[in-house]
Structure formats: structure tokens, C-alpha cells
Amino acid sequence: MTTAPVRSPYALAEQLEGWLGDPHDPANPFSFARLGALDRAERFPAEACRRLDELGLPRWFVPEELGGALRSAEELSLIIRTLGRRDFTVALAHTKTYLGAVCAWVAGADDQARRLAGRVLDGAVVSLALTERSHGSDLLAGELTAVPAGPGRHRLDGEKWLINNATRADLVTVLARTDPKGGARGFSLFLVDKSQLTEGSWQDLPALPTHGVRGADISGISFTGAEVPADALVGAAGEGLEIVLRGFQITRTLCSAMTLGMADQALRIGTGFAEEHRLYGRPLVELPQAGRVLAEAYADLLAAEAVSLVATRSIHTLTGEQSVVSAVVKYLVPTIGDETIAAVRQLLGARAMLVEDHADGTFQKIERDHRIVGIFDGSTAVNLNYLVNQFPVLVRGWNAGLADAAGVEAAAGLDTEVPPLDPGALTLYARSGCSVVQSLPAAVREVSRRAPGTPLAALAERLLGLAGELHAELAAHRPSARQVPERAFALARDYTLLYAGAAALRLWLHTPSGRWSDDGWPEAVLTRLVRRLTGEPDLDDEDGPALDRMLPALRRQRAAGRLFSLLHCDLAEAGRPTTEEGA
């Protein structure tokens, strides 16, 4: 990976997976056993992060136009997914530099961005400092201040808390109050280089013990009269909050890759256990209830992947709509991930709680670690509320049939390369709505043309009918910043499911059929999504044909040592025994 960048992001992920090596080899620093032991000891995975630096991975945190290797968010998403499947603490610790730098990539002056790019390529760690002890995700309540301290200079006073890599970071992007009155235009961003600060003007705050990612550097930083130069300001004064929210449209979408990686490994552990554990004289996987759990979990994982793939490519192809799309992804994919992991936990029983004696304790670590994905870069409630605020534009876009057909096709056509990102096209409000959802009528017509009279066509028609009903109800809700009814949150949740169904259909329509194995995945995915939208119970006799094909497909993927995915990606492991016959 230290050679020229691999053009295919899927080949890049496979190459990284191979470099990480066999996760079952205890001598491998990227093995489940070694990384699990670090977590139990609450020790930072320093050797793993150092090896990733040696591999040249920081080059993918820097856009190609700034001298790095990153061509698309899709590449970075697959890197995060690969690392997250191996160990989320490593993924979080190492890729945090991209989150810390993204505001400069989005809004920094050219010379500032290039200087930062050089530092990152040299191995510097960058952190993003937004939250404070008394205010959590309420960024408008932030008290850390930046006041003028001479020509172009500012003095920082205050502290940031619960910041990933705050202590390890060489540079920290800090959101500071620059107008005492606060408000949307009362905050600015500063790229603070610790090495340039006067001794005693700043200090790292102690790391905090956490339930998950126990070895991560979750700490803080405080400033007392810390002066920063004029070129530390990112963007214009007063634009800090807007820049952060624009950057979140990228990073919230990329969070989906964390879920995909962890859910893959959790499902792999559960599938292995069900295949090798015997109950009533036969493998657990052959018992109808256990097989059904695995089939549903696999269908849900593929639904989450469909959302992630289309949304990540949309960063480049439907950039002006990413305020809606990123909120959809950040709510739905971690939620599905939590449910998938919980389903596997029920299958594993007591083994799910073991910290070392089953599958190297990997499952219980995943279950703890994954809970944080729904919190950072905006919690579940924050993202649903963001969708509620955009109900009017979503309704207008649907009623008018607005859809960027070319942008949707490029987002869903996985065999095509996305155009370079134009950060200036990121906006806080999706003026035309959401093209992927708004193109659903055309997608359903095309599905009916290609597969007339099939269960998939019937499910697509059902989804379209539900979409019409949902938008009619959305039109009746007027967003209010002060009072959002519970029903509005439920409607926002349903909108995310609608997006998932539309994304799945678009992937099936726009990607050549040779990309997919013949396992009927779109039918299974839509079956699950329609059930979620209607609240109807899952019934074996009605859903059986769609879901029956998912379990054999899942078992084939595991036996072949491949990623649980719509895409082909070989892993550096094969199915391995995890248990023996017993209760």
C-alpha cells in the first residue's frame, strides 16, 4: 500500500485486509487475541497504529489534490470498514485524523490546507475538539472563547472534554465562541498546533474510562491564555458551526462503515457458532429459529450496506443533498447494527458475555464498542430532528418529482468512478430534497419492466405505496425548533427506511448483474424493510421464500472466507471452529 494508490476501492480494501494478516494468529499485532488483551488492559493500541503509519495509511486521510492518495469517500469508507471489522479501537484512533482535518479540507484556505496535508503525510495526529463537559452535543452552548490578542491573533480560554485523541494529537481543530452573544454566527474554528503554543498555556486533561473502546485516548484539552496566529483560523470568523456541520455531512456518512465492519464480524462469530455447536443431535444452524435469526441479520446487514454504499458515493454525485442523506445514514445504519448485534447475542447465549474464553472475547468487545457509533458526530435524536426540520423540502421534492437522475445513477453504479468532491457544494439545507427517494417511482417502473410479475416487483410497488402515504403525513407536520412531537420522530425514522429501500433498488438496477450472486438479496432486503415500515410481524410462511435463500448465501460467504457483503472481498481468514458440542 506504499505504492501508487489502487484505483478500485474494493481492491484497496482487499489489499489492506491481506496486509493486516490472519486475525487468529496470536503473534499478529492485528489479531483478535492481541487487540482484545489491550482492550481488557485499557491500553492504547500503539503498535497497531504505528504499523498503519508505516503502511502509509495516513495518505488516505489527505485528498489527492493536496498531495495525498484519497480520491473518494468510498475509498476511505472501505478502509474504515476493514479496520472496524478487525478492531474498532484501532479504527477510531487512527482514522480520527481525517475527522480532525476535514474542516480544513472543506473550508480552509489553500495554503492552510496544504500545510496541514504535509503534516498529516508526515504522520501528525489531528483531533477535533467540539464538546464540553457541561453542554454535550449542544454546540451553541460552548463556553471556550477566542478573543482578539493583537493583529490577527486570538487567545483561547476554556476546555474541551470527551475528545478522541486529545492527548495524542499534534494539532487540534477547536470550535470556540468568538461572539459573547453566541448564536449560529458566534463561533469560529481554529487549527491549533500544540507545538506553537506557549508553555503552560494549555494542558491535556486525563483520559476517561469508558465502557467501550477502553484503550482509546478519550480525554480532553484546556487552554489558559493560549495565543494562536492569524493563519490558525479555519474559514471566516463566525463560520465555525456551519463548517463543522458541512464536515459532518461527510463524516456522519463514513460512520456507517464502522457499523458494517463490526456487524460483519459479530455475524461471522454467530454463524460459526451456529454451524459448529450441536443441539438435539444436529448443528444449531439447522434449527429453524436459529437459521431464521441469521438469515434476517444478513438481510439487515445488506440493507445497511446498500444505504452506506449509495450515500457515500452521493457525497460526490449528489453533494447538495448530503445534509439529508448523512442524517438518514447516521440514524439508520448504527440502529440496524445495534439490532443485528443484539440478535447474534441472543443466539450465542452466555458466550456473548465472555471476555476471553470464546472467540477471543471479540463479540462482547464489539457489542460494547458499537454503542458509541450512534452517539458521536450527532446522536440518534439529533439526526432524526435534522430530518424533521427538512420535512417541507422533502415533501416538495417528492410532490414535484424532483430527482437528479444522473446523480442517482452515478451514486448507485458501483462500476463507475465518482467525480472529485466539490466541498463548496455542501449546504446546510437540501433545497431539492432527496433524489434517491424521489426517484423511487421511476425505479419501481423499471423493476416492473425488468422483472414483471415477480415478488420483487410486488414488493417495489408496495414500497411505492407506502412512500406516498408517508409523504402525505410528512406534509401535515410543520417543524418547530422548540417542540417536536414524538410522531415526527417516528416519521423521520420511516423516511430512513424508505431511503434504504430506494437505495437497494437503485443498486440492483444500476450495477451490472455480474456483480451480484444469485441469492435474491433485493427481495429479502425489501421484505424486511416493508415489514419495518408497516409494523407487521415477520411470518415464516409469508417471508420464507425471500429469506430462505439468505442463510445458504451467508454460509457460503463464511466458508469462502469473504466479507459479508454485496461486493466480493476476500478476507485474511476462513471459517474456523469456535465451539464444540455442548449445552
Side-chain angles (χ1 to χ4, degrees):
M1 288 184 61
T2 54
T3 59
V6 179
R7 185 163 294 275
S8 166
Y10 312 115
L12 173 64
E14 200 168 72
Q15 187 177 357
L16 174 59
E17 171 66 26
W19 190 91
L20 295 177
D22 183 357
H24 300 285
D25 177 4
N28 180 3
F30 293 98
S31 70
F32 296 135
R34 291 275 292 273
L35 294 168
L38 289 174
D39 184 72
R40 291 190 292 275
E42 300 187 13
R43 290 175 54 196
F44 185 82
E47 181 183 3
C49 288
R50 177 179 57 79
R51 293 204 176 198
L52 292 176
D53 286 339
E54 294 171 353
L55 179 63
L57 209 63
R59 295 171 60 211
W60 273 268
F61 304 153
V62 178
E64 189 176 47
E65 62 269 22
L66 295 174
L70 184 64
R71 289 192 177 105
S72 72
E74 191 176 17
E75 291 178 329
L76 187 52
S77 176
L78 283 159
I79 288 173
I80 294 170
R81 180 175 180 174
T82 303
L83 293 177
R85 200 189 71 84
R86 189 63 64 97
D87 183 80
F88 184 52
T89 304
V90 172
L92 187 66
H94 202 265
T95 61
K96 175 68 176 184
T97 287
Y98 180 83
L99 176 62
V102 72
C103 290
W105 307 154
V106 166
D110 184 68
D111 58 341
Q112 181 187 54
R114 291 191 178 280
R115 286 196 306 273
L116 178 59
R119 294 290 301 278
V120 173
L121 292 173
D122 287 340
V125 175
V126 189
S127 183
L128 178 63
L130 302 179
T131 55
E132 299 180 10
R133 191 183 305 266
S134 300
H135 308 296
S137 60
D138 185 4
L139 301 184
L140 286 173
E143 298 180 49
L144 187 148
T145 60
V147 299
R153 299 182 65 83
H154 283 82
R155 189 187 73 220
L156 303 182
D157 291 279
E159 71 173 41
K160 294 293 182 179
W161 182 74
L162 279 184
I163 307 302
N164 184 19
N165 279 352
T167 299
R168 294 182 61 251
D170 302 288
L171 301 102
V172 183
T173 301
V174 179
L175 182 68
R177 182 184 289 259
T178 45
D179 184 336
K181 295 180 294 184
R185 291 290 176 180
F187 294 81
S188 303
L189 276 176
F190 296 88
L191 182 60
V192 179
D193 186 340
K194 291 181 180 178
S195 68
Q196 294 183 1
L197 298 179
T198 303
E199 185 177 356
S201 66
W202 67 279
Q203 65 174 354
D204 295 319
L205 301 179
L208 295 156
T210 54
H211 182 62
V213 290
R214 291 175 177 171
D217 171 22
I218 308 296
S219 52
I221 187 169
S222 70
F223 302 97
T224 306
E227 293 192 12
V228 295
D231 61 7
L233 181 67
V234 180
E239 292 183 351
L241 187 62
E242 178 182 344
I243 295 169
V244 167
L245 293 178
R246 288 167 60 201
F248 273 177
Q249 292 176 26
I250 300 173
T251 59
R252 281 174 175 165
T253 306
L254 291 173
C255 284
S256 62
M258 301 172 178
T259 289
L260 294 179
M262 282 186 276
D264 176 287
Q265 189 56 34
L267 184 55
R268 193 169 303 273
I269 292 169
T271 305
F273 173 75
E275 288 185 329
E276 290 132 18
H277 182 71
R278 299 185 68 83
L279 193 63
Y280 309 123
R282 56 177 173 160
L284 181 62
V285 72
E286 294 180 4
L287 299 181
Q289 184 176 4
R292 177 75 175 201
V293 167
L294 293 172
E296 290 179 350
Y298 189 32
D300 289 348
L301 179 59
L302 295 185
E305 182 181 43
V307 172
S308 179
L309 287 170
V310 173
T312 301
R313 291 173 63 88
S314 292
I315 292 173
H316 299 262
T317 70
L318 298 165
T319 313
E321 302 177 8
Q322 207 62 23
S323 62
V324 166
V325 174
S326 61
V328 166
V329 178
K330 187 55 172 59
Y331 163 75
L332 184 59
V333 175
T335 298
I336 288 177
D338 282 339
E339 294 173 358
T340 299
I341 293 167
V344 175
R345 180 184 66 234
Q346 294 300 318
L347 193 69
L348 290 174
R351 288 169 176 80
M353 307 301 293
L354 299 179
V355 298
E356 189 172 2
D357 295 325
H358 177 73
D360 298 309
T362 302
F363 180 84
Q364 60 81 35
K365 183 180 188 303
I366 288 171
E367 188 173 31
R368 287 185 288 105
D369 288 354
H370 185 263
R371 295 178 188 180
I372 196 175
V373 181
I375 298 173
F376 54 52
D377 284 16
S379 66
T380 292
V382 166
N383 283 286
L384 288 178
N385 193 69
Y386 207 75
L387 288 175
V388 171
N389 290 336
Q390 301 205 57
F391 278 179
V393 73
L394 297 177
V395 171
R396 285 198 300 270
W398 175 263
N399 290 339
L402 299 178
D404 182 344
V408 171
E409 184 171 356
L414 302 184
D415 287 340
T416 61
E417 190 171 346
V418 296
L421 171 64
D422 175 12
L426 294 167
T427 62
L428 300 187
Y429 195 68
R431 297 181 182 88
S432 59
C434 179
S435 288
V436 171
V437 171
Q438 288 154 204
S439 69
L440 185 59
V444 172
R445 289 194 297 270
E446 182 63 14
V447 170
S448 296
R449 185 186 70 80
R450 292 194 194 182
T454 62
L456 178 61
L459 283 164
E461 290 286 354
R462 181 83 187 279
L463 184 69
L464 182 58
L466 293 170
E469 295 172 9
L470 176 60
H471 282 89
E473 194 167 356
L474 293 182
H477 283 264
R478 299 300 177 191
S480 168
R482 294 182 178 274
Q483 186 174 8
V484 181
E486 183 178 350
R487 180 58 184 161
F489 282 101
L491 293 174
R493 182 214 64 167
D494 286 351
Y495 190 88
T496 69
L497 296 170
L498 191 62
Y499 181 96
L505 288 176
R506 283 297 175 183
L507 281 174
W508 185 75
L509 288 171
H510 292 302
T511 299
S513 58
R515 170 74 78 178
W516 318 119
S517 59
D518 185 21
D519 54 18
W521 71 268
E523 184 183 339
V525 165
L526 259 65
T527 295
R528 292 284 290 164
L529 292 172
V530 167
R531 292 290 187 187
R532 288 172 182 263
L533 278 164
T534 61
E536 298 169 355
D538 292 337
L539 302 174
D540 289 350
D541 53 348
E542 293 184 20
D543 300 337
L547 289 167
D548 283 349
R549 293 190 291 270
M550 299 308 294
L551 182 59
L554 175 69
R555 298 181 69 181
R556 286 195 300 271
Q557 292 287 78
R558 178 179 179 272
R562 291 177 182 163
L563 192 69
F564 292 156
S565 171
L566 297 170
L567 311 168
H568 179 108
C569 181
D570 289 327
L571 303 175
E573 63 179 301
R576 289 169 178 258
T578 57
T579 186
E580 63 283 337
E581 183 168 0

